[in-house]
């Protein structure tokens, strides 16, 4: 099931779990809510850190896959492995 921006209510982390596929409107939100921390053809990270782990900031992360944009959780800049 694809999680949609339209159905999102409340806290992002309550709505999305790592592995959730999201719609293009959600990907656009990640890209446009703030200047992105990382933006490539395969990764979008929201520009504001969510947390700091080991002295490094983590960011809400989407990764482009064959299934579409997939939420990966909070990852270090430029990475897709959840850290928090």
């Amino acid at each position: 099931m694809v999680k949609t921006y339209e159905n999102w209510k409340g806290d992002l982390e309550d709505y999305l779990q790592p592995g959730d596929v999201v719609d293009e409107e959600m990907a656009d939100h990640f890209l446009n809510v703030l200047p992105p921390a990382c933006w490539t053809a395969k990764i979008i990270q929201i520009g504001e850190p969510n947390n700091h782990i080991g002295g490094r900031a983590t960011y809400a992360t989407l990764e482009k896959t064959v299934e579409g944009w997939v939420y990966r959780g909070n990852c270090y800049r430029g990475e897709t492995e959840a850290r928090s």
Side-chain angles (χ1 to χ4, degrees), residues 64-79:
K64 185 71 165 188
T65 71
V66 295
E67 297 172 2
W69 287 105
V70 177
Y71 180 67
R72 295 298 185 204
N74 294 299
C75 309
Y76 291 140
R77 185 184 302 253
E79 297 183 6

Side-chain angles (χ1 to χ4, degrees), residues 22-29 64 68-69:
V22 302
D23 67 358
E24 286 294 324
E25 192 173 3
M26 182 68 79
D28 288 343
H29 172 75
K64 185 71 165 188
W69 287 105

Side-chain angles (χ1 to χ4, degrees), residues 35-49:
C38 179
W39 177 27
T40 69
K42 295 189 177 208
I43 299 173
I44 302 172
Q45 291 178 308
I46 289 180
E48 182 175 328

Side-chain angles (χ1 to χ4, degrees), residues 2-40:
V2 175
K3 296 277 184 98
T4 66
Y5 180 80
E6 182 178 349
N7 289 333
W8 173 28
K9 307 280 189 278
D11 190 275
L12 180 70
E13 290 186 8
D14 290 337
Y15 183 59
L16 295 179
Q17 300 301 311
D20 285 346
V21 177
V22 302
D23 67 358
E24 286 294 324
E25 192 173 3
M26 182 68 79
D28 288 343
H29 172 75
F30 269 62
L31 187 59
N32 296 316
V33 67
L34 293 167
C38 179
W39 177 27
T40 69

